[in-house]
């Protein structure tokens, strides 16, 4: 069986990614931190579509907790390993830099950037040893062009982009690819308070995107068809910035 872990499988984009990868035949580890009901709902949809999966819980900012949860999974699964990792869990706390409190900086860096280290390192060795792996990081337009009010979030996502490019070069010869997907404005919990009517005027597609449109690209990057794509950042933003 081929296993894929999607962090933040309880969220809008993560849920769509879980469903897409399940439809491609992966057994999905649907991850959540606080919203168990949403994770269970994602798993229910997977099962209804004839796929398989299980739920896993940890806080991506807690290095020890992530390690323990993934070690336990490994101990329960013998010689099997997680070959696809989608680092999707994320969090934004928008505030102008001049008023930003230390915790508003560090929580955003911890959740979006340090999580990449915390979740990737326990899985990387197995991918390298087995000579197959796909690591797909969900970053953001904010980490490419920078967005005012998001200095913390832009810094974190830009950090993940740098890490994507570096790690891709470390592990490419072991048939492990590391890529990033950079969504623009996507309709989820994270953007529910934004004024879509106003913001869509800036977007050539004239609308926000859907989680499924992000999931399609993640699915492609996880597929064999993407085996020669490594260290890339693919924009999914309706033409807002290319
Ligand atoms: P949601 O708010 O819908 O989902 C966020 C997910 O992240 C939830 O599953 C949440 O889990 C999880 N999460 C947050 N903090 C932690 C934590 N400390 N430990 C573990 N899990 C955590 O957001 P989206 O689906 O919109 O976002 C998914 C990704 O896409 C994020 O990385 C985001 O930055 C990125 N993105 C989103 C855009 C958009 O327009 N929506 C645009 C660009 C990038 P739980 O609820 O169970 O706690």
């Amino acid at each position: 069986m081929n296993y894929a872990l999607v962090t933040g499988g309880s969220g809008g984009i993560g849920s769509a990614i879980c469903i897409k990868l399940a439809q491609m035949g992966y057994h999905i580890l649907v991850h959540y931190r606080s919203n168990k009901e949403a994770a269970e709902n994602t798993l229910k949809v997977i099962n209804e579509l004839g796929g398989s999966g299980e739920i896993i819980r940890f806080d991506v900012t807690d290095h020890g907790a992530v390690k323990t949860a993934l070690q336990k999974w490994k101990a329960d699964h013998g010689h099997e390993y997680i070959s696809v990792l989608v680092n999707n869990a994320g969090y934004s706390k928008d505030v102008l830099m001049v008023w930003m409190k230390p915790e508003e900086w560090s929580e955003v860096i911890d959740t979006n950037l340090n999580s990449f280290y915390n979740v990737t390192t326990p899985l990387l060795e197995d991918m390298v040893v087995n000579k197959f792996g796909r690591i797909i990081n969900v970053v953001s337009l904010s980490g490419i062009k920078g967005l005012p009010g998001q200095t913390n979030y832009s810094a974190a996502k830009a950090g993940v982009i740098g890490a994507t490019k570096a790690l891709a070069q470390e592990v490419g010869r072991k048939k492990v690819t590391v890529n990033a997907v950079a969504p623009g404005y996507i309709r989820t919990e994270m953007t529910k308070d934004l004024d879509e009517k106003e913001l869509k005027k800036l977007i050539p597609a004239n609308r926000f995107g859907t989680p499924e449109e992000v999931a399609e690209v993640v699915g492609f990057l996880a597929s064999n068809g993407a085996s020669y794509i490594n260290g890339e950042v693919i924009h999914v933003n309706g033409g807002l910035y290319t």
Side-chain angles (χ1 to χ4, degrees), residues 8-14 31-35 58-61 88-90 111-112 138-140 153 157 183-186 188-191:
S10 50
I13 293 174
H31 161 269
Y32 79 101
R33 178 197 47 173
S34 52
N35 197 343
F58 49 77
D59 183 335
V60 295
T61 68
N88 162 79
T111 311
N112 297 284
V138 180
V139 293
S140 171
Y153 185 74
K157 294 297 194 184
Y185 292 106
I186 308 296
T188 69
E189 193 62 26
M190 192 176 261
T191 51

Side-chain angles (χ1 to χ4, degrees), residues 26-201:
Y26 282 98
H27 176 93
I28 310 297
L29 281 79
V30 182
H31 161 269
Y32 79 101
R33 178 197 47 173
S34 52
N35 197 343
K36 188 176 183 191
E37 200 184 325
E40 283 173 348
N41 196 46
T42 300
L43 184 56
K44 190 165 158 257
V45 176
I46 289 171
N47 290 330
E48 281 167 2
L49 291 168
S52 72
E54 62 193 278
I55 304 255
I56 186 164
R57 180 185 183 278
F58 49 77
D59 183 335
V60 295
T61 68
D62 184 338
H63 178 253
V66 177
K67 204 170 161 191
T68 305
L70 292 176
Q71 274 174 348
K72 181 178 183 310
W73 185 90
K74 204 169 146 52
D76 292 345
H77 288 79
H79 296 300
E80 296 184 295
Y81 81 107
I82 295 167
S83 58
V84 174
L85 165 62
V86 184
N87 283 307
N88 162 79
Y91 165 70
S92 59
K93 176 72 186 168
D94 296 358
V95 52
L96 292 175
M97 186 72 170
V98 70
W99 291 306
M100 194 179 289
K101 299 190 185 77
E103 62 273 20
E104 290 170 334
W105 174 265
S106 55
E107 279 169 17
V108 169
I109 300 290
D110 281 348
T111 311
N112 297 284
L113 176 58
N114 293 338
S115 60
F116 166 79
Y117 173 82
N118 293 342
V119 185
T120 305
T121 44
L123 304 181
L124 192 58
E125 192 181 339
D126 274 344
M127 291 186 192
V128 167
V129 167
N130 286 283
K131 295 195 177 61
F132 179 82
R134 294 278 192 267
I135 299 169
I136 300 152
N137 300 317
V138 180
V139 293
S140 171
L141 174 66
S142 185
I144 293 157
K145 76 176 284 287
L147 284 177
Q150 294 197 321
T151 305
N152 49 1
Y153 185 74
S154 296
K157 294 297 194 184
V160 176
I161 291 171
T164 299
K165 293 177 180 179
L167 184 58
Q169 294 172 64
E170 282 187 21
V171 295
R173 63 173 55 223
K174 299 292 182 187
K175 298 192 176 73
V176 178
T177 65
V178 191
N179 290 290
V181 174
Y185 292 106
I186 308 296
R187 256 180 242 131
T188 69
E189 193 62 26
M190 192 176 261
T191 51
K192 72 176 190 322
D193 297 329
L194 298 181
D195 186 350
E196 179 170 349
K197 222 171 141 194
E198 267 310 303
L199 285 166
K200 75 176 188 181
K201 293 177 191 160

